[in-house]
Amino acid sequence: MGSVNNASLCVGKTPWWKEAVFYQVYPASFKDSNNDGWGDIPGLIAKIDYLHDLGVDCVWLSPMFESPQKDMGYDISDYQAVYSRYGTLSDVDNLIAACHVRGMKLILDLVVNHTSDQHPWFQESRSSKTNPKRDWYMWKPARYDANGNRIPPTNWRSYFAGPTWTWDELTQEYYLHLYDNSQPDLNWENEECRKAIYNEAMRFWLDRGVDGFRIDTVNKYSKRTDFPDAPVTMPGETDQPAAEMWCNGPRIHEFIREMNEQVLAPYNAVSVGELSNTPLPSQVLPYVSAAAKELDMVFEFSTIRLGTGGPFHGKYLYREFPLSELKAYVATWQQWLEGTDGWHTVFCENHDNGRAVSRFGDDSTVESWEASAKTIALWQATLTGTIFLYQGQEIGMVNMPKEWRIEQEYKDVESLNFYREAKAFGDAERIRKTEEGLRILARDHSRIPMQWDASPNAGFTSAGVTPWMRVHDGFKDLNVEKQEGDDESILGFYKKILKLRKEYSGLFVHGAFRPSLQEDETLFVYVKDDQGSEESGVQADKRRKALVVMNFSGQPAILREHNLNVAATLGCKQGEERLLVTTLKKKDTPRMEAGVLEPWESRMYLNF
């Protein structure tokens, strides 16, 4: 198969975003500068040197636009204004400047599948059936059952539980919303609506110096406009899963090509799309093929969704999964680009999921938490594609304590809707399983305040201030300040491994992924092959290779018992392999045995 390195398919040098480290900031929870309990943009600016020192090249700022905050800013009421608790337009300008002066870039969240129901566009649209903006949203008349009862236009279920349709008394029609009923979907079929999106939500910010966008729900703009009912896959439920009615719809590639041609390409703006419910590589490639001229890269969610019960009815009914299942997904999405002109992303955390160390690692003891967080760092930093980190990941932030009551501490609209639905269902076992699932998977876990130091409120805000979400009980032991001066901390390890990722970019950013021991439920093993060396004429047998060996268990792993020979796997003579990285601390290395990995220990070897 051909090389994964797509640089030769680009005009000139490799695009900056392929080898960049992106870092997502959730503004409400990052740093509060004015003691109102909410993080803000001046707080982010105050910490920009921290991100620069970490090795971040581009900050992705989650929605900070004017919003009623029903869905934490993903319900926008004004694309050109900043939510007052986050700051002002001048603050955004200052953030852009702070990034650029350090050689960093800034991208914003582009949320244009829907708006808030408080957006002036929707206020006009719902004002009358003859309003010029009526067709900017998706309105349909009611249906009636055999008994004459009014029912929604389709039986589609929303992502946040309940129907996708809400009745509007004023104009006597339903409007469509894939998410909360306060988030009506825009009608991308309407050309004037698309033009307004490009002008108000995109060019406005690009003209101010923003470098691109993370594009929310990017494959949901084109719906089935014949509006058929979804097949009944959940008997006994009124509303049925219907992602096939709006994901990857009939005009979606036309719409995204237009967005790229009219806005993204002229500004040379980087684009990364959120691509849900698209599980096949053959479905993803058309979005990211360089020849297609649509998006630079996308987030595909098969790996990060492990443990969930699906996106609809059973999402928070947690299921255990074996390591082999995780490895199979990683292998699929690491190898699918070979021989293509596409590109991909590397991530295991974001604002919509539980913390990685609490899901893929082990946070049950201090030792296992620290070791598994470093193993996750090594795993992510050695995968092919553009890496995205989420705030707090670099210090190993964990899920909210299991003792916290969902009714009191959980704030997310999705979490609470699913919990209310489980309670309304009335089955004690379903309630118990939903609670268990929320304590592992809920979006709330990633949204508690960033833990900066051991002072009151973890340094997120001042003592005596009540933060918008409760600070984690363990912040005095888990915070930036405690790790910052320690090269052997999780933070120190992230700094080290991100530097190595750039130093060996041919191996880790662009290299071919070759999995090994895929059925093994203890070891996660793969070889990275620097196929990028082909372009410099290096012979195949002289290319650099790296072997990544990770113990994803709480027990020691003896390599020979897993039929793993490091030198043979790297294709070099015994003793010629070079240990480049271990997650062990220096005090533990004297007892390190070549053929034994400690619990959650990981290593990376080079062939020369």
Side-chain angles (χ1 to χ4, degrees):
M1 300 181 89
S3 169
V4 175
N5 188 338
N6 304 300
S8 61
L9 298 169
C10 303
V11 177
K13 65 180 183 178
T14 301
W16 67 267
W17 41 265
K18 288 191 174 183
E19 297 178 4
V21 174
F22 285 70
Y23 185 101
Q24 182 185 359
V25 169
Y26 198 72
S29 302
F30 193 64
K31 176 62 178 174
D32 176 17
S33 71
N34 62 356
N35 297 325
D36 67 351
W38 281 67
D40 47 49
I41 295 168
L44 168 55
I45 295 171
K47 294 294 185 180
I48 204 71
D49 283 327
Y50 165 78
L51 299 182
H52 187 253
D53 291 343
L54 175 61
V56 171
D57 300 294
C58 184
V59 175
W60 155 22
L61 181 60
S62 289
M64 76 307 168
F65 313 98
E66 187 62 63
S67 165
Q69 300 296 328
K70 293 287 185 66
D71 186 21
M72 289 306 295
Y74 284 91
D75 51 323
I76 297 171
S77 56
D78 188 338
Y79 286 109
Q80 298 184 356
V82 177
Y83 180 54
S84 60
R85 284 189 135 166
Y86 293 148
T88 64
L89 281 174
S90 293
D91 290 328
V92 178
D93 293 338
N94 292 338
L95 175 60
I96 294 169
C99 288
H100 289 175
V101 77
R102 291 165 175 80
M104 300 165 66
K105 298 183 185 295
L106 176 71
I107 64 172
L108 301 182
D109 238 303
L110 181 64
V111 186
V112 289
N113 173 72
H114 51 266
T115 67
S116 164
D117 60 1
Q118 301 304 304
H119 196 290
W121 295 349
F122 188 70
Q123 293 293 305
E124 286 192 49
S125 184
R126 79 187 313 176
S127 65
S128 75
K129 291 182 179 179
T130 58
N131 187 277
K133 288 187 173 62
R134 180 67 171 184
D135 193 43
W136 285 31
Y137 294 82
M138 308 193 85
W139 295 91
K140 294 287 288 182
R143 296 187 298 178
Y144 295 88
D145 65 17
N147 297 318
N149 299 310
R150 187 184 72 220
I151 59 174
T154 70
N155 65 347
W156 302 351
R157 175 185 166 94
S158 81
Y159 285 97
F160 288 173
T164 58
W165 299 94
T166 289
W167 178 252
D168 180 63
E169 284 290 344
L170 178 64
T171 56
Q172 296 288 293
E173 284 192 325
Y174 285 91
Y175 64 86
L176 179 72
H177 52 90
L178 300 186
Y179 296 91
D180 190 65
N181 62 6
S182 66
Q183 296 167 289
D185 276 44
L186 288 160
N187 180 15
W188 276 69
E189 301 286 331
N190 185 297
E191 185 178 4
E192 289 303 310
C193 178
R194 298 200 305 274
K195 287 180 179 178
I197 289 168
Y198 302 155
N199 278 325
E200 295 196 25
M202 298 180 73
R203 292 190 185 99
F204 175 83
W205 293 104
L206 292 168
D207 286 339
R208 299 186 89 91
V210 165
D211 299 289
F213 300 99
R214 175 266 187 184
I215 308 178
D216 188 60
T217 61
V218 75
N219 59 332
K220 297 175 182 173
Y221 305 154
S222 175
K223 279 80 170 177
R224 283 276 302 270
T225 54
D226 53 343
F227 296 101
D229 272 343
V232 176
T233 55
M234 297 295 295
E237 299 282 353
T238 303
D239 309 308
Q240 298 294 315
E244 69 275 13
M245 302 299 173
W246 60 71
C247 281
N248 312 309
R251 296 185 67 189
I252 190 62
H253 294 291
E254 174 191 345
F255 292 154
I256 297 177
R257 279 194 298 272
E258 179 184 86
M259 176 193 287
N260 182 70
E261 179 182 332
Q262 295 195 17
V263 187
L264 296 171
Y267 284 88
N268 195 28
V270 64
S271 58
V272 52
E274 181 190 30
L275 202 72
S276 62
N277 299 303
T278 310
L280 300 177
S282 59
Q283 297 172 307
V284 175
L285 184 59
Y287 288 96
V288 295
S289 164
K293 299 186 186 327
E294 292 189 19
L295 302 169
D296 293 321
M297 48 191 163
V298 296
F299 296 123
E300 194 284 325
F301 292 107
S302 295
T303 301
I304 203 171
R305 293 287 192 243
L306 274 172
T308 64
F312 295 100
H313 292 82
K315 179 173 183 178
Y316 289 109
L317 300 180
Y318 181 73
R319 62 175 186 84
E320 297 283 350
F321 57 89
L323 177 63
S324 56
E325 186 177 359
L326 171 64
K327 293 193 293 185
Y329 279 123
V330 172
T332 295
W333 293 104
Q334 281 290 285
Q335 295 184 301
W336 71 286
L337 287 175
E338 293 194 25
T340 77
D341 64 345
W343 195 245
H344 202 45
T345 55
V346 176
F347 70 104
C348 65
E349 283 199 28
N350 63 20
H351 63 292
D352 282 336
N353 291 274
R355 289 291 185 173
V357 72
S358 299
R359 298 179 59 208
F360 304 114
D362 181 356
D363 63 4
S364 63
T365 69
V366 172
E367 293 76 19
S368 62
W369 158 72
E370 187 169 32
S372 62
K374 290 179 181 178
T375 284
I376 289 170
L378 181 63
W379 167 40
Q380 294 294 288
T382 55
L383 294 179
T384 299
T386 299
I387 190 169
F388 285 75
L389 305 179
Y390 180 75
Q391 66 183 46
Q393 179 180 340
E394 75 279 9
I395 60 170
M397 282 183 65
V398 299
N399 278 356
M400 298 154 64
K402 289 183 171 60
E403 306 79 51
W404 286 11
R405 296 189 62 185
I406 292 171
E407 301 95 327
Q408 293 179 346
E409 307 298 347
Y410 287 54
K411 309 292 186 185
D412 175 49
V413 59
E414 181 183 78
S415 299
L416 296 177
N417 279 1
F418 272 85
Y419 187 52
R420 280 193 288 265
E421 182 181 58
K423 295 182 78 172
F425 193 78
D427 183 281
E429 182 64 7
R430 178 168 172 174
I431 295 171
R432 185 191 67 78
K433 287 185 175 180
T434 301
E435 289 176 340
E436 178 186 86
L438 286 169
R439 290 189 173 106
I440 300 170
L441 302 167
R443 307 197 303 178
D444 302 82
H445 298 298
S446 61
R447 302 178 181 191
I448 62 174
M450 181 73 176
Q451 293 154 216
W452 292 105
D453 56 42
S455 67
N457 285 322
F460 164 71
T461 189
S462 296
V465 176
T466 301
W468 79 278
M469 281 194 80
R470 181 176 171 182
V471 174
H472 197 288
D473 296 343
F475 74 90
K476 290 185 179 179
D477 295 313
L478 200 174
N479 60 69
V480 170
E481 186 178 63
K482 187 169 184 177
Q483 297 187 29
E484 200 156 30
D486 182 1
D487 291 341
E488 296 192 315
S489 66
I490 298 168
L491 178 59
F493 188 81
Y494 264 97
K495 290 180 179 180
K496 175 182 179 180
I497 202 68
L498 291 175
K499 286 179 182 178
L500 286 173
R501 178 177 173 82
K502 290 180 178 179
E503 181 180 349
Y504 296 94
S505 60
L507 265 178
F508 303 127
V509 179
H510 301 282
F513 179 93
R514 299 289 176 253
S516 181
L517 305 180
Q518 282 294 85
E519 301 306 314
D520 194 297
E521 300 296 356
T522 300
L523 293 182
F524 195 163
V525 181
Y526 48 86
V527 171
K528 293 301 297 290
D529 186 344
D530 188 358
Q531 291 197 349
S533 299
E534 289 177 331
E535 294 172 5
S536 56
V538 178
Q539 297 177 9
D541 61 350
K542 297 296 183 183
R543 290 186 203 131
R544 178 174 280 132
K545 293 182 180 180
L547 172 64
V548 179
V549 185
M550 300 176 289
N551 182 1
F552 264 64
S553 81
Q555 301 297 321
I558 301 172
L559 300 189
R560 66 174 179 273
E561 293 182 356
H562 298 265
N563 299 313
L564 180 63
N565 182 295
V566 173
T569 305
L570 284 171
C572 60
K573 295 179 181 179
Q574 199 72 36
E576 290 185 354
E577 69 275 16
R578 172 188 166 200
L579 177 63
L580 185 63
V581 174
T582 174
T583 55
L584 285 181
K585 291 187 173 183
K586 289 179 183 178
K587 67 179 179 62
D588 297 321
T589 54
R591 60 183 174 82
M592 184 173 73
E593 297 181 43
V596 181
L597 264 64
E598 294 293 316
W600 288 104
E601 181 197 348
S602 298
R603 301 175 191 173
M604 180 168 62
Y605 295 91
L606 291 183
N607 60 341
F608 64 90

